[in-house]
Amino acid sequence: MSSIAESLASVKGTILEAARDCGRDPSTVRLIAVSKTKPSSMIREAYAAGQRDFGENYVQELVTKAEELRDLPELRWHMIGHLQRNKVRHIAPIVHELHTVDSERLAEELNRRLSDEGRCLPVLIEVNVSGEESKSGCSPHEAAPLCDLIRELPSLNLRGLMTIPPFFDDPAESRPYFDRLRELRDSLGGPAKLPELSMGMTDDLASAIAAGATSVRIGTAIFGARSPRV
Ligand SMILES: *Cc1c(COP(=O)(O)O)cnc(C)c1O
């Protein structure tokens, strides 16, 4: 087994255990392998080991990798980084799901581009639950009007909510932020209307699963530590 295949197997084991610990069916938790800053060769290795969903944060990097990996027919790209309106046209043809819609203007631009292509894109609303100024995402009270707007846009399929909690040394401290995202989802129509909760990264994936995560976004535990972005 390659080291990436081993890491993937180990992350899947962690997901299985975390789901069992809270009485959830592990198949309801989707693993998104976050490959930002890592070379396409590593994505190929993960794909060879059966991984299909990959997350990227930066538009140019996503575009380059999508080109390099065009030959992998089942690979699904998730855009999980902040998206500027003027970059929408670059990712619209590539991305399978977008986790970071955070404004009406972005939603409208996406809808315009996608309708030109005749596509309907699954999207999540990124919510800045902690209110940290450094974070993107809409505020919790902006989520309801944004939901209403997206539901009116024919080329966007609203699937759920996404969040990134503040950084803590003790990952258990992320839990209240995950709970708040789930409670917000429940106030916006519940799982029938918003089935997806995208939350949980390498360090806090177990508490995210306990709080109801349906997608966990895991980078470091699969691909190793990242060097700081320059
Ligand atoms: C980088 C990143 C991740 C993965 O983080 P790890 O701690 O490496 O697992 C998940 N979600 C988002 C939005 C990220 O930017």
Side-chain angles (χ1 to χ4, degrees), residues 34-46:
V34 177
S35 43
K36 63 172 179 238
T37 80
K38 300 296 181 181
S40 290
S41 58
M42 292 179 100
I43 299 175
R44 267 184 205 285
E45 261 185 67

Side-chain angles (χ1 to χ4, degrees), residues 7-213:
S7 309
L8 262 174
S10 145
V11 169
K12 285 182 196 161
T14 308
I15 292 173
L16 206 72
E17 210 173 298
R20 285 208 188 117
D21 283 350
C22 61
R24 292 186 56 197
D25 172 358
S27 72
T28 61
V29 183
R30 179 172 61 163
L31 171 58
I32 297 174
V34 177
S35 43
K36 63 172 179 238
T37 80
K38 300 296 181 181
S40 290
S41 58
M42 292 179 100
I43 299 175
R44 267 184 205 285
E45 261 185 67
Y47 186 94
Q51 180 64 26
R52 292 294 179 265
D53 292 282
F54 292 88
E56 287 283 342
N57 290 61
Y58 310 108
V59 170
Q60 189 49 54
E61 188 178 345
L62 172 55
V63 169
T64 304
K65 287 176 176 172
E67 179 62 29
E68 288 171 357
L69 298 168
R70 258 196 327 196
D71 57 308
L72 305 181
E74 293 170 14
L75 191 158
R76 294 183 289 265
W77 292 113
H78 296 254
M79 176 62 182
I80 62 170
H82 179 65
L83 180 60
Q84 290 171 302
R85 272 184 309 146
N86 62 359
K87 303 271 174 71
V88 163
R89 66 198 145 96
H90 300 294
I91 65 130
I94 297 170
V95 82
H96 168 80
E97 193 166 306
L98 172 67
H99 294 232
T100 51
V101 178
D102 62 357
S103 74
E104 300 190 352
R105 281 160 42 134
L106 176 60
E108 280 163 350
E109 174 65 13
L110 280 161
N111 186 61
R112 195 172 311 128
R113 286 284 168 189
L114 289 155
S115 57
D116 289 348
E117 297 181 23
R119 286 185 64 205
C120 185
L121 180 70
V123 299
L124 284 71
I125 295 176
E126 180 179 3
V127 185
N128 183 356
V129 175
S130 63
E132 289 169 288
E133 270 182 35
S134 60
K135 289 237 156 77
S136 47
C138 71
S139 69
H141 73 264
E142 288 167 335
L146 189 51
C147 270
D148 291 341
L149 173 88
I150 295 175
R151 287 184 174 127
E152 298 293 313
L153 299 175
S155 295
L156 300 187
N157 174 15
L158 181 61
R159 299 285 300 154
L161 306 179
M162 177 271 210
T163 200
I164 309 170
F167 175 80
F168 296 106
D169 286 323
D170 175 4
E173 291 186 50
S174 300
R175 178 65 192 264
Y177 299 90
F178 298 147
D179 287 332
R180 261 185 250 166
L181 193 73
R182 187 195 61 247
E183 288 158 12
L184 180 63
R185 186 274 301 276
D186 291 342
S187 76
L188 296 170
K193 292 211 159 150
L194 296 172
E196 285 282 340
L197 288 176
S198 169
M199 53 191 195
M201 316 200 302
T202 291
D203 289 334
D204 55 18
L205 91 104
S207 55
I209 289 172

